[in-house]
Amino acid sequence: MPAGKSFIIEKGMISGSMGKTAIGGEEYYSIRLKNQTLHAVHPLGWFTELNVKIDGQDIPKKDIIFELRDQRIGMEHMSTIKDIFWYIMEPAYLHVKMQGELAPGAHEVACEVVAPLLEVGMLLDAEGKWPRRHQTITGTVTL
Amino acid sequence: MYSTIGVSTWSLQQLTFKRGVQLPEMIEMIARMGVDGLDLYEEYLPVYPDTNLAKLNEIKKMAKNAGLPIFSTWFFVDPIGASYSASLEWTTETVKKFIAVTASLGAKYLALPTILNIPGVGLDEAYDMYERVYEKLVPIAEEYDVRLAAEVARQHTPSLMMRLQKSLKSDYFTICPDFEAWRVDTPDIPLIHQETPGAPPSEPETIETFTQCLPYSPYIHAKLLSIDENGEEPHFPIHEMMKAIGESEINHHLCIEYEGWIPDIRPEDDAEEETRKCVELLKKYRKK
């Protein structure tokens, strides 16, 4: 890993706009993310957590679906995924179910990315042997 | 002795983040820099989750058409971190795949990081773990005629790998000094690393240690972070390191790893322009 503390390039990682997607008869707000981790190629499970806040409100994992290449994975299960790799700069989507509607306009989105300090990009820390690295990415996203 | 110079894809990775530049364009850029070769890092290799041999062959052809030999590959796999998390067998099989990928690209070296951050594991125990892994990997490297290059970019790792080299006694286990282990702590770029958060700044290794590594180091990572207005890199003892390389008894390949583009250094600088400056810096100092 490189010098310094950041393991992600924050700028541009979260899209500037969000839309709405109907999934299973329910409405989700959809925010695009790009893979801007410095050593970028990882299976989805390398990210042990992606904790999302919208306008300061924590979104429960059960209300978030991560979508990559048309594959949708409940955030509660993402840390188990070994064989779906997220490549450098590849777009993915966070589909977020909110309690109540978001007003049109600008919203503050924060995404805390948590990953193990294990210096093996393709391996999951399924047994929780490693301390974690944390970085929070923020962006203003317009609905 | 003589040194060749190559540029790693890591040096230009900023351009993928900023402008979507992909490997074909990157190879052309590196060719225009007038260097001797190319070093390919895993972000641009079609190996996850499965290796795509046809795409690897296309990469090989692209490099050949650009007149650039592929000198090395690098994978984000700390061998003992992998053994600790998975198993020695998993690590051996995984690195074996990367050795085969390296051979199929016609590259001579496969670089792997050397990291000392397993919770509760000290230097001696880490050494034993590295010895167990590399004892398995060296015969595979010999079989494929690919040299393993243990990248030493942190305090204590050069001595650890020199000790291991003396134990393994194989030309297929080489030490890859990364200039980062010799970087000095400066206010603009403190000597801290993200795999050890909260740890105090480490100490740079000595030039004596660098010189001791060189007989076992045909392949070197020239990590560079910023070039000043005089064309110098003030964060490393470049003059001393390049003098030692020039006086070395073996030839070396210097792989430029320009890293100033990362968020904690100078993300506003243009990686292509800065990498060109790095090439000029090494050309200025290398012995011909």
Side-chain angles (χ1 to χ4, degrees), chain B residues 13-264:
Chain B
Q13 194 166 306
Q14 176 208 52
L15 305 177
T16 302
F17 290 125
K18 276 196 168 174
R19 308 203 314 250
V21 169
Q22 295 301 319
L23 187 61
E25 192 181 344
M26 220 174 254
I27 288 175
E28 294 298 325
M29 255 179 222
I30 292 171
R32 288 195 297 272
M33 291 180 188
V35 291
D36 307 301
L38 166 70
D39 300 274
L40 288 169
Y41 286 19
E42 69 168 14
E43 279 78 7
Y44 301 96
L45 291 172
V47 297
Y48 295 122
D50 300 308
T51 303
N52 184 326
L53 288 174
K55 284 192 175 172
L56 276 182
N57 197 44
E58 284 171 21
I59 292 171
K60 196 174 170 182
K61 279 195 287 186
M62 272 190 273
K64 188 178 179 189
N65 290 342
L68 288 174
I70 301 171
F71 279 123
S72 72
T73 60
W74 179 95
F75 293 92
F76 186 32
V77 176
D78 168 33
I80 66 169
S83 298
Y84 171 74
S85 265
S87 65
L88 183 58
E89 290 68 30
W90 184 91
T91 308
T92 306
E93 285 305 305
T94 299
V95 177
K96 184 179 185 177
K97 167 179 149 175
F98 297 147
I99 290 171
V101 165
T102 306
S104 76
L105 287 166
K108 282 184 184 171
Y109 298 99
L110 162 65
L112 297 170
T114 305
I115 302 289
L116 301 172
N117 75 338
I118 298 177
V121 170
L123 280 179
D124 286 339
E125 194 178 345
Y127 174 82
D128 291 341
M129 294 171 81
Y130 275 115
E131 188 174 47
R132 281 195 291 274
V133 182
Y134 277 113
E135 276 175 349
K136 295 270 188 192
L137 295 178
V138 165
I140 301 168
E142 287 176 359
E143 183 187 337
Y144 282 86
D145 196 21
V146 167
R147 271 127 181 107
L148 300 167
E151 179 191 58
V152 291
R154 301 289 185 268
Q155 189 180 10
H156 306 304
T157 58
S159 310
L160 209 67
M161 290 299 112
M162 275 195 284
R163 187 177 154 200
L164 185 53
Q165 213 292 330
K166 282 168 187 153
S167 163
L168 294 170
K169 294 191 181 76
S170 169
D171 290 343
Y172 286 85
F173 177 79
T174 73
I175 300 166
C176 172
D178 184 312
F179 287 6
E180 179 66 14
W182 286 267
R183 180 161 68 87
V184 294
D185 190 32
T186 54
D188 62 329
I189 312 176
L191 206 45
I192 56 173
H193 299 100
Q194 54 175 274
E195 78 276 2
T196 48
S202 56
E203 293 288 324
E205 290 284 348
T206 64
I207 291 297
E208 186 186 9
T209 305
F210 185 76
T211 306
Q212 287 167 352
C213 287
L214 289 179
Y216 317 105
S217 306
Y219 174 69
I220 293 172
H221 277 173
K223 173 74 58 65
L224 299 164
L225 303 179
S226 72
I227 307 295
D228 68 17
E229 61 279 9
N230 300 314
E232 299 292 336
E233 212 318 349
H235 303 91
F236 302 88
I238 297 290
H239 178 75
E240 290 90 339
M241 287 193 290
M242 291 301 287
K243 183 171 181 286
I245 289 168
E247 292 170 357
S248 170
E249 292 177 358
I250 66 167
N251 293 327
H252 299 277
H253 174 67
L254 308 178
C255 161
I256 291 175
E257 287 189 318
Y258 168 67
E259 194 171 283
W261 56 269
I262 67 170
D264 293 2

Side-chain angles (χ1 to χ4, degrees), chain A residues 4-56:
Chain A
K5 294 178 179 172
S6 306
F7 66 99
I8 295 172
I9 296 176
E10 179 171 358
K11 190 176 178 185
M13 185 161 174
I14 297 178
S15 61
S17 62
M18 70 173 127
K20 292 181 182 178
T21 307
I23 301 174
E26 295 191 275
E27 189 168 78
Y28 286 72
Y29 295 97
S30 302
I31 301 159
R32 196 193 67 205
L33 284 183
K34 286 182 185 170
N35 182 354
Q36 297 191 172
T37 47
L38 294 180
H39 286 307
V41 183
H42 300 286
L44 292 179
W46 187 79
F47 301 92
T48 50
E49 291 184 65
L50 290 180
N51 297 313
V52 180
K53 283 185 183 184
I54 297 183
D55 297 330

Side-chain angles (χ1 to χ4, degrees), chain A residues 78-97:
Chain A
M78 197 166 110
S79 65
T80 67
I81 305 296
K82 295 179 194 171
D83 293 338
I84 302 175
F85 279 70
W86 194 12
Y87 302 108
I88 184 167
M89 285 301 278
E90 190 178 24
Y93 292 88
L94 287 172
H95 301 296
V96 178
K97 188 165 67 177

Side-chain angles (χ1 to χ4, degrees), chain B residues 257-282:
Chain B
E257 287 189 318
Y258 168 67
E259 194 171 283
W261 56 269
I262 67 170
D264 293 2
I265 302 182
R266 290 165 63 158
E268 67 283 1
D269 288 353
D270 179 76
E272 183 181 8
E273 193 182 325
E274 296 304 309
T275 302
R276 271 183 195 286
K277 293 180 190 172
C278 294
V279 172
E280 293 312 310
L281 175 73
L282 292 194

